[in-house]
Amino acid sequence: MLASLPMYERPETRDAHDRFWLLLRHRMVEHGVRAPLALTRPSEDLLSHWRQPDLLFSQTCGHPFRTCLRDQLRLIGTPDYRVDGCPSGYYRSILICRKEDGRQSLSDFNGARLAYNDSLSQSGYVAALHQARVSGTRLDPALETGSHRLSLHAVRTGSADIAAIDAVTWSILESWEDGVDEVRPIGMTDPSPGLPYVTAQHAWDSMLFDAAVDAIEGLSDRDRRVLRLHGLVRITEEEYQQVPAARNLD
């Protein structure tokens, strides 16, 4: 069996993720599940990792979950990070530009170069292009960076004009990333369902939900602050499917 928590990992959160997994694994073992001792940390090709038939527990982005993974993964539940302005379990992206850029809102960025982490990303790509369309603006998805952190630095250094950063990631970057003070927010995207916990083991999704609830409740105050993790909610697959699709947005 495989387990991973790849979406909000960086060196400063690694130990807290490991302790969360130990709590979660303990609950699984109590239910007779042969859960792995340690998390797998896939360095690249997350899609292949999420498609493994022995995937017991992971977290994915909402866009691939509702598109290319919808027939392979089962929704366990959606973590609640208490993102400002969002319902429980929902999140949004922070739109950023260089601090010295004189433009003040998304509508001022017509034709601007967008740095995005991945074209499968809800927060960095789909949400940005959808919000631009809503505002009557066109963004040019000019630079794929591979991560929200690198998108921030692409904007900071002038390689791109604007980026959309997952609000949870933005909070983490504000705590630990150099250069955050060289960019500034200019808006936010609309809320959408957050990054779900998923499994390929369809018979266990209900048990895994209960195990995750118990593990989250068992987090220390310090680990809860580091992970920004406050609970687990049930958001239906239909709610994920209602989010605007990526096609025809760029």
Side-chain angles (χ1 to χ4, degrees):
M1 292 290 182
L2 295 173
S4 63
L5 291 167
M7 301 310 289
Y8 294 123
E9 178 116 318
R10 60 178 285 143
E12 295 87 352
T13 65
R14 183 181 179 113
D15 288 347
H17 272 133
D18 284 338
R19 287 188 287 270
F20 174 48
W21 171 245
L22 289 178
L23 291 169
L24 184 51
R25 181 183 183 276
H26 177 70
R27 304 305 191 277
M28 293 178 184
V29 170
E30 287 181 334
H31 286 86
V33 177
R34 292 196 297 175
L37 287 172
L39 292 168
T40 295
R41 288 184 161 91
S43 58
E44 54 187 39
D45 198 4
L46 279 171
L47 276 181
S48 293
H49 171 71
W50 288 322
R51 285 172 169 151
Q52 295 302 307
D54 58 347
L55 185 69
L56 174 62
F57 193 96
S58 190
Q59 185 176 22
T60 185
C61 178
H63 179 57
F65 171 68
R66 68 178 186 268
T67 54
C68 54
L69 298 172
R70 62 180 301 184
D71 296 327
Q72 296 160 292
L73 294 177
R74 182 86 169 185
L75 175 64
I76 296 171
T78 305
D80 182 19
Y81 296 99
R82 294 186 181 173
V83 176
D84 287 346
C86 297
S88 295
Y90 276 59
Y91 78 141
R92 66 199 322 172
S93 297
I94 311 298
L95 298 166
I96 63 165
C97 70
R98 286 186 301 284
K99 192 170 185 178
E100 67 272 17
D101 193 311
R103 290 170 283 190
Q104 297 299 312
S105 67
L106 180 57
S107 59
D108 297 328
F109 282 82
N110 191 51
R113 298 166 299 162
L114 173 71
Y116 61 96
N117 52 332
D118 189 292
S119 60
L120 280 175
S121 172
Q122 171 62 32
S123 56
Y125 185 78
V126 180
L129 296 181
H130 172 70
Q131 204 66 37
R133 172 167 288 189
V134 169
S135 70
T137 305
R138 183 187 177 279
L139 296 178
D140 174 17
L143 180 61
E144 182 173 354
T145 65
S147 72
H148 282 304
R149 183 182 71 84
L150 293 177
S151 294
L152 180 150
H153 288 294
V155 171
R156 179 184 68 83
T157 60
S159 298
D161 302 305
I162 191 170
I165 310 295
D166 171 336
V168 182
T169 300
W170 176 250
S171 174
I172 292 170
L173 292 171
E174 284 188 305
S175 294
W176 292 301
E177 188 67 23
D178 292 337
V180 173
D181 59 349
E182 297 177 45
V183 301
R184 62 181 175 86
I186 54 94
M188 294 179 290
T189 64
D190 294 333
S192 62
L195 282 62
Y197 290 150
V198 292
T199 182
Q201 312 304 313
H202 291 198
W204 291 342
D205 56 316
S206 180
M207 179 276 292
L208 293 173
F209 180 93
D210 293 339
V213 168
D214 290 344
I216 292 169
E217 289 178 352
L219 286 169
S220 68
D221 289 343
R222 180 180 182 278
D223 285 348
R224 190 182 309 281
R225 288 193 299 271
V226 168
L227 298 177
R228 278 74 173 164
L229 184 55
H230 295 278
L232 190 68
V233 299
R234 295 190 186 276
I235 295 176
T236 66
E237 292 191 23
E238 288 73 20
E239 289 177 80
Y240 280 93
Q241 294 299 331
Q242 290 169 6
V243 177
R247 60 183 179 274
N248 302 322
L249 286 178
D250 56 3

